[in-house]
């Protein structure tokens, strides 16, 4: 019997005291005093406006009000009281239906309100469009529109509004960050230029028009003409027209055509999957959404142009803009040739104002001021500046390199030196096109003025893929004769190295090509490449220790930032290992072992399997070193995740045996727990023994993260054996450790186990609350596979409460997530869930059709049982079939078998708003 739930339409408010944790560490007394004032203000203003504080969540709260107006009035009063006292609070408000219990609220409206609060800024109040709708006609409340946002794992897009009142902060919409994304926000992949683009207004207008009408646009031109910078600005101009998908992808490090699709898939976060090609994954992600891909530095892989054509053929709303020194030669391509910047007039007696108006001169002056702030065009130097720009053919990169010398050289002196250098250097390259001669000569000249230590540093930096940090430069490039700090400052000053966001250092590709040539010529390539490999092997260890320590999220982000460098390190160590370098083999095995959980969370299971297999194959001795044991742990996790359970068990069994011979260490703890995971489906007694061994070894070693992991899976074993009370105790124990460490991945596992236990005792409301917390944990760390699982389980739980509308929304989200992961079984099970929801909605014909579509979809991919282990779906669909006449069942089944996935999803929507 299902108990009637107390459902109400309310305004849900979330609050959070900003900076409380940091303040508590710095000044405990002050922190507690401010929190007391915060709680006092909340309580008084809730009482004054009819609100109820339902939960206190650490330094935050969840509450409800009878109306959005009351919630807004209370929020404004709270902020106006606390802001002058330096008590900074974030507040978010949403209006919707909730289930009210004595100590909590549940329902989608709670999830939405929490997401909105995550976007709020300290001192501000954010409203959803639903809350704004109730107060928009009030003359005493002013709300500023911030734009349309997609909230994480929420079915539709939301317009957000900021309340404007005395003392309240109204944020810049472009700066908002939270659990979701702003539709019109420039994606993080699009670089943010440090200075405005000069002299390209006409070109950008023409390119903007071309992108709107052409499928593929290729911006061609010589190196140094500014193709990349124009591409970035084009992306910024078109961002609002492609709110769902705009991505800037640099291909500068891609030299082999076979690496194009993996690079593109990684940039778009397309998950690896055995069941589909990367091309299919990219197509599935883009689908029929308006999407703009900006592909930079395509010239070295023009052989893959047919794959670009395939993408545009299969994705009807896709637009691609490419930069390349040569066209792609595609039927759908429109080539746009980008020329140098316009030059000043060559006639005598031209005024300084006329010279200064030339785009080439504007750029030169802009960069010269970075070197010498007082630099300007005057009557005395106008002629020399004009001559410099003409001598450099108006090439932006050449102008920047020359202007960087303005700190020491006047325009006349610079012109004299430049004239001589260009005459000498271009005379040796008569077979190259004129502008390429000019650029090459300018880089040569710039390089010749470096000191010998600066030249060594410059060429060695060519090995970094995708940028680096200062510490990486020190580790890889510096030695007793090559100091890094002064040399790096000089290279930045001379425009040979750029400082990007988060202080990452980067070379323009044209300059990096030149530096690579110099590295080869100096005979240092192998030596510095090995240094680079060992540096990033050390960084992988730091990533591992952070994931297994207290900086999990930051460590994942570090790994993402240096993924290209990590791949380069793996490649170099593998080459050296195959050539017989035992140290490189051990370092490569350890690198694979250290990336085990990073690769797992990132969904890079094929990458993990591929690299571990190649290094293990290169290990002719098979001696049980720490490197080999670590690589076996990684290989086993990849095999298990990809469904090769027997192989995983063999790999983990060898890892356990090898770890035991190494003595008490991290590997013993993890190998034992992994062996337990591998035995979950075959031998629960042995799995329980291994999990306990893992937990005990971890406690003895003081390895808290591993103890949490082992306890989580020990609890799962107990649950499978029917001992739910012990399972809950172990899961709670694990969760306490994981929350203390900030282990989002582990907490998600423990919370989902507790949710399953709650569902097993028919406490479905509690289960949904726990599932919601698990989902938030997996969202925080970015484990999309676990998000998909939780979304599906939440949907089935809603169905158990006979809330078909909520179940349907979560099933739609799980279909989306499983599609990203190319999980045919997951998509099929979610489709069965949608069929079951239709049955609960008393739409038996639709239920039978959707189920038939799911069954045929799964069977065509070799999956026999699309219903999985959950009997509820089959029971509900069988009930729907039984309610129809036999001929109607046959007709509906045949019709369902002909449906596409898109048609099936459309049928599943009985007037519900489709997920955005």
């Amino acid at each position: 019997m299902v108990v009637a739930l107390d459902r109400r339409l309310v305004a849900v408010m979330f609050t959070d005291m900003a900076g409380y944790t940091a303040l508590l560490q710095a000044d405990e007394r002050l922190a507690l005093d401010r929190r007391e004032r915060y709680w006092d203000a909340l309580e008084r203003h809730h009482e004054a406006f009819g609100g109820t504080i339902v939960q206190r969540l650490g330094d935050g709260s969840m509450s409800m009000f009878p109306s959005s107006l009351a919630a807004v009035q209370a929020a404004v009063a709270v902020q106006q009281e606390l802001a002058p006292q330096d008590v900074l609070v974030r507040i978010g408000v949403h209006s919707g239906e909730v289930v009210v219990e004595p100590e909590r609220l549940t329902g989608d409206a709670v999830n939405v309100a929490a997401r909105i609060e995550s976007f709020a800024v300290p001192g501000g109040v954010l409203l959803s469009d639903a809350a704004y709708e109730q107060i928009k006609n009030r003359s005493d409340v002013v709300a500023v529109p911030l734009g349309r946002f997609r909230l994480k794992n929420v079915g539709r897009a939301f317009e957000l509004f900021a309340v404007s009142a005395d003392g309240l902060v109204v944020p810049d919409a472009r700066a908002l960050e939270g659990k979701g994304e702003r539709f019109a926000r420039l994606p993080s992949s699009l670089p943010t230029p440090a200075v405005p683009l000069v002299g390209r207004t006409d070109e950008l207008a023409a390119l903007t028009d071309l992108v709107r009408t052409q499928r593929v646009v290729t911006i061609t031109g010589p190196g140094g003409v500014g193709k990349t910078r124009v591409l970035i600005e084009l992306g910024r101009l078109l961002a609002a027209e492609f709110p769902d998908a705009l991505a800037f992808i640099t291909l500068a490090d891609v030299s082999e055509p076979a690496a194009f699709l993996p690079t593109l898939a990684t940039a778009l976060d397309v998950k690896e999957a055995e069941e589909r090609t990367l091309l299919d994954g990219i197509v599935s992600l883009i689908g029929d959404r308006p999407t703009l891909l900006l592909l930079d530095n395509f010239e070295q892989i023009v052989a893959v142009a047919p794959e670009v054509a395939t993408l545009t053929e299969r994705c009807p709303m896709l637009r691609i803009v490419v930069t390349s020194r040569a066209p792609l030669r595609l039927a759908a391509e429109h080539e746009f040739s980008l020329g140098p910047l316009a030059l000043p007039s060559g006639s005598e007696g031209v005024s300084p104002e006329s010279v200064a108006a030339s785009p080439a001169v504007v750029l030169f002056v802009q960069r010269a001021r970075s070197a010498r702030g007082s630099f300007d065009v005057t009557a005395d130097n106008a002629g020399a500046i004009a001559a410099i720009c003409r001598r450099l053919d108006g090439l932006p990169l050449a102008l920047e390199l020359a202007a960087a010398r303005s700190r020491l050289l006047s325009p006349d002196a610079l012109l004299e030196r430049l004239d001589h250098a260009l005459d000498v250097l271009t005379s040796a390259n008569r077979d190259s096109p004129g502008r390429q001669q000019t650029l090459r000569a300018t880089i040569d000249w710039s390089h010749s003025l470096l000191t010998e230590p600066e030249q060594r540093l410059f060429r060695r930096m060519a090995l970094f893929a995708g940028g680096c940090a200062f510490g990486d430069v020190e580790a890889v490039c510096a030695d007793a004769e090559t100091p890094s700090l002064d040399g790096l400052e000089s290279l930045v000053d001379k425009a040979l190295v750029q400082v990007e966001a988060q202080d990452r250092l980067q070379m323009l590709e044209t300059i990096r090509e030149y530096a690579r040539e110099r590295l080869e010529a100096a005979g240092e390539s192998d030596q510095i490449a090995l240094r680079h490999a060992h540096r990033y092997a050390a960084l992988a260890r730091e990533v591992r220790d952070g994931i297994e320590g207290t900086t999990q999220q930051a460590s994942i982000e570090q790994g993402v930032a240096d993924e290209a460098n990590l791949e380069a390190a793996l490649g170099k160590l593998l080459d050296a290992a195959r050539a017989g370098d035992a140290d490189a083999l051990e370092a490569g095995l350890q690198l694979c072992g250290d990336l085990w959980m990073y690769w797992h969370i990132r969904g890079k299971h094929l990458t993990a399997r591929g690299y571990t297999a190649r290094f293990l194959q290169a290990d002719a001795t098979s001696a049980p070193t720490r490197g080999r044991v670590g690589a076996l742990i990684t290989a086993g996790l990849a095999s298990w995740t990809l469904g090769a359970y027997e192989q995983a068990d063999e790999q983990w069994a060898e890892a356990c045996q090898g770890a035991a011979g190494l003595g008490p260490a991290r590997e013993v703890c993890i190998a034992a727990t992994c062996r337990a995971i591998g035995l979950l489906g075959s031998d629960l007694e042995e799995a329980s023994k291994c999990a306990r061994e893992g937990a005990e070894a971890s406690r003895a070693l003081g390895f808290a993260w591993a103890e949490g992991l082992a306890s989580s899976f020990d609890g799962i074993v107990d649950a499978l054996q029917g001992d739910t009370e012990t399972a809950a105790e172990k899961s709670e124990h694990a969760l306490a450790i994981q929350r203390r460490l900030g282990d989002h991945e582990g907490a998600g596992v423990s919370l989902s186990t507790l949710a399953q236990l709650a569902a097993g005792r028919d406490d479905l409301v509690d289960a949904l609350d726990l599932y919601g917390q698990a989902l938030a944990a997996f969202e925080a760390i970015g484990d999309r596979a676990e998000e998909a699982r939780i979304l599906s389980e939440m949907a089935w739980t809603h169905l158990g409460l006979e809330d078909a509308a909520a179940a349907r929304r979560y099933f739609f989200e799980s279909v989306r997530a499983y599609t990203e992961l190319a999980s045919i079984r997951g998509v099929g099970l979610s489709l069965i869930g949608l069929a079951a929801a239709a049955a609960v909605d008393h739409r038996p014909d639709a239920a039978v059709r959707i189920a038939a579509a799911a069954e045929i979809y799964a069977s065509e991919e070799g999956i026999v049982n699309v219903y999985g282990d959950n009997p509820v779906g089959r029971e509900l669909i069988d009930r729907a079939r039984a309610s129809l006449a036999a001929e109607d069942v046959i007709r509906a089944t045949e019709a369902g078998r002909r449906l596409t996935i898109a048609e099936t999803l459309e049928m599943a929507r009985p007037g519900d708003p489709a997920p955005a």
Side-chain angles (χ1 to χ4, degrees), residues 438-458:
T438 299
L439 178 62
R440 173 73 185 205
T442 306
I443 299 174
D444 257 328
W445 172 71
S446 219
H447 178 264
S448 71
L449 297 178
L450 299 174
T451 64
E452 178 58 33
E454 289 170 351
Q455 289 181 355
R456 279 196 299 273
L457 184 63
F458 170 73

Side-chain angles (χ1 to χ4, degrees), residues 391-403:
R391 194 71 175 87
L392 297 177
D393 293 330
L395 282 169
L397 180 55
L399 291 168
E400 291 188 26
L401 292 172

Side-chain angles (χ1 to χ4, degrees), residues 264-327:
L264 186 58
T266 296
L268 297 175
D269 200 24
V270 172
K271 303 303 182 184
E272 297 176 344
E274 286 190 301
E275 295 88 352
R276 70 176 178 201
T277 65
L278 286 175
L279 180 62
D280 287 342
I282 294 165
V283 169
S284 174
L285 175 68
I286 296 171
D288 57 1
R289 294 182 299 167
T291 303
L292 177 61
L293 297 184
L294 307 174
L295 308 180
D296 192 32
N297 293 116
F298 206 89
E299 54 269 358
Q300 63 263 34
I301 52 168
V302 289
V304 301
E307 291 175 347
V308 172
T310 301
L311 278 173
T312 57
E313 289 165 5
R314 296 179 61 185
C315 303
M317 301 298 288
L318 173 63
R319 296 289 186 269
I320 297 178
V321 184
V322 169
T323 66
S324 176
R325 296 179 196 175

Side-chain angles (χ1 to χ4, degrees), residues 178-238:
K179 294 180 179 178
E181 61 183 0
R182 185 172 184 262
F183 271 77
R185 187 184 70 183
L186 295 179
S188 59
S189 59
L190 190 62
T192 301
V195 293
L197 181 61
V198 171
R200 296 298 191 186
T201 303
D202 292 343
E203 291 94 332
L204 286 167
L207 282 165
T208 300
D209 289 340
L210 283 173
V211 172
R212 290 171 180 147
T213 58
Q214 305 294 322
R215 304 296 301 280
V216 179
V217 177
T218 302
I219 304 172
T220 59
V225 80
K227 299 185 294 295
T228 298
R229 184 64 183 83
V230 167
L231 185 67
I232 292 169
E233 194 64 25
L234 181 64
R236 292 170 64 81
L237 291 173
L238 290 169

Side-chain angles (χ1 to χ4, degrees), residues 683-720:
D683 189 340
L684 290 178
E685 287 296 328
E686 187 64 21
S688 178
K689 176 185 172 186
C690 289
R692 287 197 304 274
E693 287 176 359
E696 290 164 5
S698 301
R699 274 192 293 273
L701 199 64
F703 189 6
W705 182 87
E707 183 187 349
L709 179 73
S711 298
S712 284
F713 283 96
D714 198 9
I716 290 172
V717 174
D718 287 326
L720 292 172

